Amino acid sequence: MRAEFENGSRDQLNAGNQILSRAPVACHRDKHSWKRSSVSRARWLLRAICLTAILVPFGLSGCGAAPTPAQVSVSPFVQLVHLTDSDISTVSAVDYTIAPKPGSVSKPVHVEYSMAALAARGYVAGNALTVPVFGLYAGFDNQVTVELKRGSGSAASLQLTITTPDYVDPTGIYSHPDILTPRSPNGALGFSFMYIKSALGSPIIIDTDGEIRWAAPGIANATSSALNGDEFIIGDPTTPTLYRLRLDGTISDAELPSSSFTDFHHNIEPGKSGFLGEVDAASGGVKSLASNIIEFQDSNVTSIQNHWDLAAILTAYMSSQGDDAAAFVRPGIDWFHSNSAIYDPQDDSVIVSSRENFVIKLDYKTGAIIWILGDPTKYWFTFPSLRAKALTLAPGGLYPIGQHALSINPEGELMLFNDGLGSANQPAGASAGETRTFSAVSAYSIDEKTMTAQNTWNYDAGQTIFSSICSSAYESPDKSILVDYAVADNFTHALLVGLDPNHSVVFEFEYPTSSCNTSWNAQPIALDDLKIDR
């Protein structure tokens, strides 16, 4: 169906918009600058019609010659808008904006695709192109603006009302948050969207009003996941398989090349030139649990660029210093328990969180140990070789204990979720170290020349919340923070908290959980300014 208004008045323009809200068709053209009156502009738009849009509900095909990639998932949060343009060769990019619901404090969803990116996804064919519109509200008349940008600086835009069906949450959890503190319209917050790493299915994207903005079927467990552009990279917790789940719902998978790696666990994070993944391994019938970090290309998991085997690294170092490494490195036992690994571009290093022991920094190229930061009352500190690499924490600071979710914050400091739970798998009679009664978010400034660390700040919610395992905290560029207490209230609730730059609470959402399944980790994402250019 085509909407054409040759002699458009304002009434005809409004009538056209009403048609668009009922039928999957829309078109008009805009310019990058205007000096006409609004009525004249409306008439110019309608006389210069050059776009036809066909809205394909729920990500299903239905547009004749327009391209439709396979495996597009059925999801009310995703719609495909098919466009035709007689001058498509001049189009450089396509973007769309989804207006917030009335009363929402979260920003509009705004996504821009380069034409190269759309073509790479099979969404361009002849005069036709398809725009995957994701981030929609379920069960709502979404007001969407789609704009085609041209190299000349002009633009063609169209307004759509995209009506979506209700979402039936298979978990019954994410669609019914207990909003303890609604998002404050006066609270300064540097993010409007976040994704929850769920063990119950695919990642869940929500906004800071508590609304689900994206979910898709096809993934059983997204504990190990990272968002890269418009796709989630997800490691399988039972096999050495990596999935790519695009936000348009398309799924692909690949196997790790090494037969020794058995599965993914915990985090996937950006590396130096790819992604860092935490994997289990097995050799000769002996398991190597939670002590291997690999770096793989984001476009080709079959190419493993780097591998840091913490058992081998620590064994070689400790033995070279005369320590009995076998007393510390114990294959077949979860003696290390890595749960986070990040790349630090400040000095070309990899930093790894060992829940059982410490945070350890390694040289990226050689794997040499640079420093160790951890509770000195634990078993590891009894080994002189490890003690020689230990940072001294300034008095009054909180050592990282049972920590998760390492990051380098905008100030260049090491930041982490400081769980506060002592070790669980030390040898009989060995010290498990301190266990606190509360959890905190902690940041550290580190001086490698003096081998000292300063705990620059902590957020501990008045020492009222203890989330002993899992959990996360990440800081946005404006210094606001998303905190995820994965097992608050004695393992019964996952609590998401948004903090402004002064660490005042801006929102609090609570969900029921079993163990860490609901939200083992959660990160802010820029769905209000997402550019997809490849």
Side-chain angles (χ1 to χ4, degrees):
M1 179 177 178
R2 180 185 295 267
E4 295 185 352
F5 310 103
E6 292 296 328
N7 297 304
S9 68
R10 181 171 293 280
D11 289 340
Q12 287 172 309
L13 180 60
N14 291 335
N17 286 335
Q18 291 172 9
I19 291 173
L20 297 181
S21 69
R22 298 193 301 270
V25 184
C27 56
H28 60 77
R29 186 170 181 169
D30 198 358
K31 271 194 165 184
H32 64 285
S33 64
W34 298 97
K35 294 184 180 179
R36 300 177 175 88
S37 69
S38 60
V39 173
S40 297
R41 184 164 68 246
R43 290 174 177 164
W44 186 90
L45 289 169
L46 296 171
R47 284 198 299 269
I49 290 169
C50 64
L51 289 177
T52 299
I54 299 179
L55 173 64
V56 182
F58 319 124
L60 298 178
S61 173
C63 182
T68 44
Q71 303 181 45
V72 174
S73 297
V74 177
S75 171
F77 306 103
V78 183
Q79 304 277 350
L80 299 182
V81 175
H82 292 329
L83 308 173
T84 60
D85 187 289
S86 60
D87 199 16
I88 202 168
S89 63
T90 66
V91 177
S92 59
V94 182
D95 68 22
Y96 69 83
T97 302
I98 303 172
K101 280 184 177 180
S104 170
V105 184
S106 299
K107 291 181 178 180
V109 169
H110 181 79
V111 177
E112 178 176 300
Y113 276 99
S114 70
M115 283 295 285
L118 288 172
R121 287 154 179 75
Y123 282 129
V124 181
N127 292 338
L129 65 91
T130 297
V131 183
V133 177
F134 50 79
L136 297 162
Y137 294 100
F140 188 68
D141 294 337
N142 293 266
Q143 302 305 307
V144 180
T145 301
V146 180
E147 185 173 74
L148 273 66
K149 297 182 176 180
R150 303 184 189 278
S152 63
S154 64
S157 68
L158 67 106
Q159 306 293 323
L160 291 175
T161 296
I162 301 181
T163 301
T164 54
D166 292 332
Y167 174 60
V168 179
D169 181 359
T171 70
I173 291 174
Y174 303 103
S175 57
H176 296 92
D178 186 0
I179 299 181
L180 306 181
T181 303
R183 166 78 188 268
S184 169
N186 300 318
L189 200 64
F191 60 94
S192 285
F193 303 92
M194 66 204 92
Y195 79 94
I196 296 170
K197 300 179 184 181
S198 170
L200 305 175
S202 70
I204 306 293
I205 297 179
I206 66 171
D207 63 25
T208 52
D209 298 292
E211 292 263 9
I212 299 177
R213 304 301 295 273
W214 187 88
I219 297 295
N221 185 319
T223 296
S224 300
S225 58
L227 183 62
N228 180 33
D230 66 333
E231 71 177 7
F232 283 106
I233 299 172
I234 303 169
D236 193 296
T238 60
T239 67
T241 304
L242 194 79
Y243 301 98
R244 284 183 166 82
L245 174 58
R246 283 204 176 120
L247 295 178
D248 66 4
T250 307
I251 302 175
S252 62
D253 63 76
E255 298 288 322
L256 291 176
S258 172
S259 59
S260 65
F261 299 133
T262 59
D263 57 77
F264 288 85
H265 64 88
H266 292 94
N267 264 3
I268 293 175
E269 294 283 358
K272 182 176 182 178
S273 57
F275 279 84
L276 300 178
E278 296 171 86
V279 293
D280 290 323
S283 179
V286 179
K287 292 183 177 180
S288 180
L289 297 171
S291 59
N292 284 271
I293 311 299
I294 61 173
E295 184 176 32
F296 56 87
Q297 286 280 6
D298 60 344
S299 59
N300 183 12
V301 71
T302 60
S303 173
I304 295 179
Q305 298 168 273
N306 286 290
H307 175 207
W308 296 271
D309 181 341
L310 272 300
I313 289 170
L314 286 164
T315 294
Y317 167 69
M318 294 176 72
S319 299
S320 72
Q321 301 300 304
D323 272 346
D324 180 11
F328 184 67
V329 177
R330 307 182 304 283
I333 296 172
D334 192 11
W335 62 276
F336 191 80
H337 196 94
S338 66
N339 55 39
S340 180
I342 61 171
Y343 175 70
D344 186 354
Q346 297 175 117
D347 60 358
D348 195 30
S349 64
V350 173
I351 309 176
V352 182
S353 167
S354 165
R355 187 198 69 184
E356 287 296 290
N357 304 289
F358 40 57
V359 179
I360 184 169
K361 174 172 257 194
L362 309 173
D363 180 84
Y364 177 86
K365 293 180 181 178
T366 67
I369 299 171
I370 299 173
W371 53 250
I372 291 171
L373 177 63
D375 177 6
T377 68
K378 284 188 175 184
Y379 175 57
W380 69 269
F381 201 75
T382 64
F383 294 90
S385 60
L386 300 180
R387 195 161 60 244
K389 294 291 185 179
L391 299 173
T392 300
L393 186 65
L398 294 178
Y399 275 104
I401 295 176
Q403 69 288 323
H404 287 72
L406 305 181
S407 65
I408 303 298
N409 68 16
E411 294 76 40
E413 299 172 328
L414 174 67
M415 182 172 144
L416 51 83
F417 187 91
N418 205 338
D419 295 66
L421 179 68
S423 299
N425 294 310
Q426 302 292 13
S431 173
E434 179 186 1
T435 290
R436 303 187 184 107
T437 59
F438 65 93
S439 299
V441 181
S442 300
Y444 301 90
S445 175
I446 294 169
D447 187 336
E448 293 179 4
K449 292 182 179 179
T450 62
M451 291 295 283
T452 58
Q454 176 78 38
N455 181 197
T456 55
W457 59 264
N458 297 296
Y459 172 78
D460 62 13
Q463 301 187 3
T464 59
I465 305 174
F466 185 39
S467 188
S468 57
I469 59 173
C470 305
S471 309
S472 62
Y474 297 98
E475 187 173 278
S476 63
D478 77 324
K479 300 185 182 181
S480 57
I481 299 172
L482 172 63
V483 187
D484 175 10
Y485 299 94
V487 290
D489 300 330
N490 196 25
F491 284 70
T492 61
H493 291 107
L495 178 65
L496 295 179
V497 180
L499 303 175
D500 69 13
N502 296 317
H503 296 175
S504 297
V505 173
V506 178
F507 69 81
E508 291 179 292
F509 307 149
E510 188 175 75
Y511 303 87
T513 194
S514 172
S515 187
C516 303
N517 288 338
T518 295
S519 179
W520 100 271
N521 183 297
Q523 292 189 358
I525 56 173
L527 204 59
D528 56 310
D529 186 25
L530 181 60
K531 290 181 172 59
I532 304 161
D533 55 14
R534 64 185 180 92

